[in-house]
Amino acid sequence: MPTEARKDTGGAVVSLLLIALGCLVIWDTTTYADSDSAVFPRTFAAVMIVAAVAYVLTWLAGRGEDLGEPAGGSSRRRICLIVVMLAGALAMPWLGFLFAALPVFGALLLVAMYDPWTTRRMILYPVIGLAIVFGFYFLFNDVLLVPLPTPAFL
């Protein structure tokens, strides 16, 4: 064990809270009448627990970077990110998952983009965005069997 103070104690504390929350979610799913409805929460909780345990073990080993003081940020961007995500969540019952997620991904990309746009990024980022949105659709709808909102107009 290193003798210097461990870095990011707050991250380790949050990880321990996430482990407890994941255990609570898994325990709660034992009361579900339909075992199919427990697939998604159990999967998500298990992944969260594994990631949090890995972080705590890394923290206990004294590894990780000292990122120093956090860099300044744009409050306008942070607020825009929250507004875009809330708008997408509120639009999802009417537009459905895909019709809400695609414009939200594009808007989040525009709001969060810090680096200058290049031709490569203008081509690559939308393609990757489509792959991510359709990948999540497939994962939730076909693998985890989570019923996703469908467009009200179809």
Short mmCIF file of all heavy atoms in Angstrom, two decimals, residues 99-136:
data_model
loop_
_atom_site.label_atom_id
_atom_site.label_comp_id
_atom_site.label_asym_id
_atom_site.label_seq_id
_atom_site.Cartn_x
_atom_site.Cartn_y
_atom_site.Cartn_z
N PHE A 99 -37.13 7.98 -33.03
CA PHE A 99 -37.38 9.34 -33.50
C PHE A 99 -37.02 10.40 -32.46
O PHE A 99 -36.84 11.56 -32.80
CB PHE A 99 -38.83 9.51 -33.95
CG PHE A 99 -39.15 8.79 -35.22
CD1 PHE A 99 -39.98 7.69 -35.22
CD2 PHE A 99 -38.60 9.21 -36.42
CE1 PHE A 99 -40.28 7.01 -36.39
CE2 PHE A 99 -38.89 8.55 -37.61
CZ PHE A 99 -39.73 7.45 -37.60
N ALA A 100 -36.93 10.01 -31.20
CA ALA A 100 -36.48 10.95 -30.16
C ALA A 100 -34.98 10.85 -29.95
O ALA A 100 -34.31 11.87 -29.77
CB ALA A 100 -37.21 10.68 -28.85
N ALA A 101 -34.43 9.63 -29.99
CA ALA A 101 -33.01 9.44 -29.67
C ALA A 101 -32.09 9.99 -30.75
O ALA A 101 -31.02 10.53 -30.43
CB ALA A 101 -32.73 7.96 -29.45
N LEU A 102 -32.47 9.88 -32.01
CA LEU A 102 -31.59 10.35 -33.09
C LEU A 102 -31.37 11.87 -33.03
O LEU A 102 -30.22 12.32 -33.04
CB LEU A 102 -32.12 9.90 -34.45
CG LEU A 102 -31.96 8.40 -34.70
CD1 LEU A 102 -32.73 7.99 -35.95
CD2 LEU A 102 -30.51 8.00 -34.81
N PRO A 103 -32.42 12.69 -32.96
CA PRO A 103 -32.16 14.13 -32.85
C PRO A 103 -31.49 14.53 -31.53
O PRO A 103 -30.69 15.46 -31.49
CB PRO A 103 -33.52 14.80 -32.99
CG PRO A 103 -34.52 13.73 -33.01
CD PRO A 103 -33.84 12.42 -33.14
N VAL A 104 -31.81 13.81 -30.46
CA VAL A 104 -31.16 14.11 -29.17
C VAL A 104 -29.68 13.83 -29.27
O VAL A 104 -28.85 14.63 -28.80
CB VAL A 104 -31.82 13.30 -28.02
CG1 VAL A 104 -30.94 13.30 -26.78
CG2 VAL A 104 -33.18 13.87 -27.69
N PHE A 105 -29.30 12.71 -29.88
CA PHE A 105 -27.88 12.42 -30.04
C PHE A 105 -27.19 13.52 -30.85
O PHE A 105 -26.12 13.99 -30.47
CB PHE A 105 -27.66 11.05 -30.72
CG PHE A 105 -26.23 10.64 -30.75
CD1 PHE A 105 -25.71 9.89 -29.72
CD2 PHE A 105 -25.39 11.02 -31.78
CE1 PHE A 105 -24.36 9.52 -29.71
CE2 PHE A 105 -24.05 10.65 -31.79
CZ PHE A 105 -23.54 9.90 -30.75
N GLY A 106 -27.82 13.93 -31.94
CA GLY A 106 -27.24 15.00 -32.76
C GLY A 106 -27.11 16.30 -31.99
O GLY A 106 -26.08 16.98 -32.06
N ALA A 107 -28.15 16.66 -31.24
CA ALA A 107 -28.11 17.90 -30.46
C ALA A 107 -27.04 17.83 -29.36
O ALA A 107 -26.31 18.80 -29.13
CB ALA A 107 -29.48 18.20 -29.85
N LEU A 108 -26.96 16.69 -28.69
CA LEU A 108 -25.92 16.53 -27.66
C LEU A 108 -24.53 16.62 -28.26
O LEU A 108 -23.62 17.19 -27.65
CB LEU A 108 -26.10 15.20 -26.92
CG LEU A 108 -27.29 15.08 -25.98
CD1 LEU A 108 -27.42 13.67 -25.45
CD2 LEU A 108 -27.20 16.08 -24.85
N LEU A 109 -24.37 16.06 -29.43
CA LEU A 109 -23.09 16.13 -30.12
C LEU A 109 -22.71 17.58 -30.42
O LEU A 109 -21.56 18.00 -30.20
CB LEU A 109 -23.15 15.31 -31.40
CG LEU A 109 -21.88 15.18 -32.21
CD1 LEU A 109 -20.82 14.44 -31.41
CD2 LEU A 109 -22.16 14.45 -33.51
N LEU A 110 -23.67 18.35 -30.89
CA LEU A 110 -23.39 19.75 -31.22
C LEU A 110 -23.10 20.57 -29.96
O LEU A 110 -22.19 21.40 -29.95
CB LEU A 110 -24.57 20.37 -31.98
CG LEU A 110 -24.80 19.83 -33.38
CD1 LEU A 110 -26.08 20.41 -33.96
CD2 LEU A 110 -23.61 20.14 -34.28
N VAL A 111 -23.85 20.33 -28.91
CA VAL A 111 -23.67 21.09 -27.67
C VAL A 111 -22.35 20.73 -26.99
O VAL A 111 -21.64 21.59 -26.50
CB VAL A 111 -24.86 20.87 -26.71
CG1 VAL A 111 -24.58 21.45 -25.34
CG2 VAL A 111 -26.14 21.47 -27.28
N ALA A 112 -22.02 19.45 -26.96
CA ALA A 112 -20.85 18.99 -26.21
C ALA A 112 -19.55 19.07 -27.01
O ALA A 112 -18.48 18.93 -26.43
CB ALA A 112 -21.07 17.55 -25.75
N MET A 113 -19.63 19.29 -28.30
CA MET A 113 -18.43 19.30 -29.14
C MET A 113 -17.53 20.46 -28.75
O MET A 113 -17.91 21.62 -28.81
CB MET A 113 -18.82 19.40 -30.61
CG MET A 113 -17.67 19.28 -31.54
SD MET A 113 -16.97 17.65 -31.39
CE MET A 113 -15.87 17.65 -32.75
N TYR A 114 -16.33 20.12 -28.34
CA TYR A 114 -15.37 21.13 -27.90
C TYR A 114 -14.32 21.37 -28.97
O TYR A 114 -13.91 22.49 -29.22
CB TYR A 114 -14.72 20.68 -26.58
CG TYR A 114 -13.74 21.69 -26.04
CD1 TYR A 114 -14.17 22.84 -25.41
CD2 TYR A 114 -12.37 21.48 -26.17
CE1 TYR A 114 -13.28 23.77 -24.93
CE2 TYR A 114 -11.47 22.40 -25.68
CZ TYR A 114 -11.92 23.54 -25.06
OH TYR A 114 -11.03 24.46 -24.57
N ASP A 115 -13.89 20.28 -29.59
CA ASP A 115 -12.86 20.39 -30.62
C ASP A 115 -13.46 20.94 -31.91
O ASP A 115 -14.66 20.82 -32.15
CB ASP A 115 -12.26 19.00 -30.89
CG ASP A 115 -11.55 18.45 -29.67
OD1 ASP A 115 -10.87 19.24 -28.99
OD2 ASP A 115 -11.68 17.24 -29.41
N PRO A 116 -12.62 21.54 -32.75
CA PRO A 116 -13.15 22.07 -34.01
C PRO A 116 -13.62 20.94 -34.94
O PRO A 116 -13.08 19.84 -34.92
CB PRO A 116 -11.95 22.82 -34.62
CG PRO A 116 -10.76 22.32 -33.91
CD PRO A 116 -11.19 21.80 -32.58
N TRP A 117 -14.62 21.25 -35.74
CA TRP A 117 -15.15 20.28 -36.69
C TRP A 117 -14.18 20.14 -37.85
O TRP A 117 -13.70 21.11 -38.40
CB TRP A 117 -16.51 20.73 -37.21
CG TRP A 117 -17.61 20.51 -36.22
CD1 TRP A 117 -18.14 21.44 -35.38
CD2 TRP A 117 -18.29 19.29 -35.96
NE1 TRP A 117 -19.10 20.87 -34.61
CE2 TRP A 117 -19.22 19.56 -34.94
CE3 TRP A 117 -18.20 18.01 -36.48
CZ2 TRP A 117 -20.06 18.57 -34.44
CZ3 TRP A 117 -19.04 17.04 -35.99
CH2 TRP A 117 -19.96 17.32 -34.97
N THR A 118 -13.92 18.90 -38.21
CA THR A 118 -13.13 18.60 -39.39
C THR A 118 -14.01 17.77 -40.32
O THR A 118 -15.08 17.28 -39.91
CB THR A 118 -11.87 17.79 -39.04
OG1 THR A 118 -12.27 16.54 -38.47
CG2 THR A 118 -10.99 18.54 -38.04
N THR A 119 -13.59 17.61 -41.55
CA THR A 119 -14.36 16.80 -42.49
C THR A 119 -14.51 15.37 -41.98
O THR A 119 -15.59 14.78 -42.06
CB THR A 119 -13.67 16.80 -43.88
OG1 THR A 119 -13.51 18.15 -44.30
CG2 THR A 119 -14.49 16.04 -44.89
N ARG A 120 -13.44 14.85 -41.44
CA ARG A 120 -13.47 13.48 -40.89
C ARG A 120 -14.50 13.37 -39.77
O ARG A 120 -15.28 12.41 -39.72
CB ARG A 120 -12.08 13.11 -40.39
CG ARG A 120 -12.00 11.71 -39.82
CD ARG A 120 -10.55 11.36 -39.47
NE ARG A 120 -10.47 10.03 -38.99
CZ ARG A 120 -10.15 9.69 -37.74
NH1 ARG A 120 -9.88 10.62 -36.86
NH2 ARG A 120 -10.10 8.44 -37.38
N ARG A 121 -14.52 14.32 -38.86
CA ARG A 121 -15.48 14.29 -37.75
C ARG A 121 -16.91 14.46 -38.26
O ARG A 121 -17.83 13.85 -37.73
CB ARG A 121 -15.17 15.40 -36.75
CG ARG A 121 -13.97 15.09 -35.90
CD ARG A 121 -13.78 16.13 -34.81
NE ARG A 121 -12.61 15.77 -34.03
CZ ARG A 121 -11.64 16.60 -33.73
NH1 ARG A 121 -11.67 17.86 -34.15
NH2 ARG A 121 -10.61 16.21 -33.02
N MET A 122 -17.11 15.31 -39.28
CA MET A 122 -18.46 15.51 -39.81
C MET A 122 -19.02 14.25 -40.46
O MET A 122 -20.23 14.08 -40.52
CB MET A 122 -18.46 16.66 -40.82
CG MET A 122 -18.43 18.02 -40.17
SD MET A 122 -18.79 19.28 -41.39
CE MET A 122 -17.25 20.16 -41.40
N ILE A 123 -18.16 13.39 -40.92
CA ILE A 123 -18.60 12.13 -41.52
C ILE A 123 -18.68 11.04 -40.46
O ILE A 123 -19.67 10.30 -40.36
CB ILE A 123 -17.65 11.71 -42.65
CG1 ILE A 123 -17.73 12.71 -43.80
CG2 ILE A 123 -17.96 10.29 -43.13
CD1 ILE A 123 -16.64 12.55 -44.84
N LEU A 124 -17.66 10.94 -39.64
CA LEU A 124 -17.53 9.84 -38.69
C LEU A 124 -18.52 9.93 -37.54
O LEU A 124 -19.15 8.92 -37.17
CB LEU A 124 -16.09 9.79 -38.16
CG LEU A 124 -15.65 8.54 -37.44
CD1 LEU A 124 -15.78 7.33 -38.35
CD2 LEU A 124 -14.21 8.69 -36.98
N TYR A 125 -18.70 11.09 -36.95
CA TYR A 125 -19.55 11.21 -35.77
C TYR A 125 -21.01 10.86 -36.03
O TYR A 125 -21.62 10.14 -35.23
CB TYR A 125 -19.42 12.60 -35.17
CG TYR A 125 -18.12 12.85 -34.42
CD1 TYR A 125 -17.06 11.95 -34.49
CD2 TYR A 125 -17.96 13.97 -33.64
CE1 TYR A 125 -15.87 12.19 -33.82
CE2 TYR A 125 -16.77 14.21 -32.96
CZ TYR A 125 -15.75 13.31 -33.05
OH TYR A 125 -14.57 13.54 -32.36
N PRO A 126 -21.63 11.33 -37.12
CA PRO A 126 -23.01 10.89 -37.37
C PRO A 126 -23.13 9.39 -37.62
O PRO A 126 -24.09 8.76 -37.18
CB PRO A 126 -23.42 11.69 -38.62
CG PRO A 126 -22.54 12.88 -38.60
CD PRO A 126 -21.24 12.41 -38.02
N VAL A 127 -22.15 8.80 -38.29
CA VAL A 127 -22.18 7.35 -38.53
C VAL A 127 -22.09 6.60 -37.21
O VAL A 127 -22.84 5.65 -36.96
CB VAL A 127 -21.05 6.93 -39.50
CG1 VAL A 127 -20.91 5.42 -39.57
CG2 VAL A 127 -21.29 7.52 -40.88
N ILE A 128 -21.19 7.03 -36.35
CA ILE A 128 -21.05 6.41 -35.03
C ILE A 128 -22.31 6.64 -34.21
O ILE A 128 -22.78 5.74 -33.51
CB ILE A 128 -19.79 6.94 -34.30
CG1 ILE A 128 -18.54 6.44 -35.02
CG2 ILE A 128 -19.78 6.51 -32.85
CD1 ILE A 128 -17.25 7.07 -34.52
N GLY A 129 -22.89 7.83 -34.31
CA GLY A 129 -24.14 8.13 -33.60
C GLY A 129 -25.26 7.20 -34.02
O GLY A 129 -26.02 6.68 -33.18
N LEU A 130 -25.40 6.99 -35.32
CA LEU A 130 -26.43 6.05 -35.80
C LEU A 130 -26.19 4.65 -35.26
O LEU A 130 -27.12 3.96 -34.84
CB LEU A 130 -26.44 6.03 -37.33
CG LEU A 130 -27.06 7.25 -38.02
CD1 LEU A 130 -26.78 7.21 -39.52
CD2 LEU A 130 -28.54 7.32 -37.75
N ALA A 131 -24.94 4.23 -35.28
CA ALA A 131 -24.60 2.89 -34.77
C ALA A 131 -24.92 2.78 -33.27
O ALA A 131 -25.45 1.75 -32.83
CB ALA A 131 -23.13 2.59 -35.02
N ILE A 132 -24.64 3.82 -32.52
CA ILE A 132 -24.92 3.79 -31.08
C ILE A 132 -26.42 3.73 -30.82
O ILE A 132 -26.90 2.91 -30.04
CB ILE A 132 -24.28 5.00 -30.38
CG1 ILE A 132 -22.76 4.85 -30.35
CG2 ILE A 132 -24.83 5.18 -28.96
CD1 ILE A 132 -22.02 6.09 -29.88
N VAL A 133 -27.18 4.61 -31.47
CA VAL A 133 -28.63 4.66 -31.23
C VAL A 133 -29.29 3.35 -31.66
O VAL A 133 -30.07 2.76 -30.90
CB VAL A 133 -29.27 5.87 -31.95
CG1 VAL A 133 -30.78 5.78 -31.89
CG2 VAL A 133 -28.79 7.17 -31.31
N PHE A 134 -28.97 2.86 -32.86
CA PHE A 134 -29.57 1.60 -33.31
C PHE A 134 -29.04 0.42 -32.50
O PHE A 134 -29.77 -0.55 -32.28
CB PHE A 134 -29.35 1.40 -34.81
CG PHE A 134 -30.32 2.18 -35.64
CD1 PHE A 134 -29.94 3.39 -36.22
CD2 PHE A 134 -31.62 1.73 -35.83
CE1 PHE A 134 -30.84 4.12 -36.98
CE2 PHE A 134 -32.52 2.45 -36.59
CZ PHE A 134 -32.14 3.65 -37.17
N GLY A 135 -27.80 0.49 -32.04
CA GLY A 135 -27.26 -0.56 -31.17
C GLY A 135 -28.01 -0.63 -29.85
O GLY A 135 -28.36 -1.72 -29.38
N PHE A 136 -28.27 0.53 -29.25
CA PHE A 136 -29.06 0.55 -28.01
C PHE A 136 -30.48 0.07 -28.25
O PHE A 136 -31.06 -0.64 -27.42
CB PHE A 136 -29.06 1.94 -27.38
CG PHE A 136 -27.92 2.16 -26.44
CD1 PHE A 136 -26.90 3.04 -26.76
CD2 PHE A 136 -27.85 1.50 -25.23
CE1 PHE A 136 -25.84 3.25 -25.90
CE2 PHE A 136 -26.79 1.70 -24.35
CZ PHE A 136 -25.77 2.58 -24.70
#
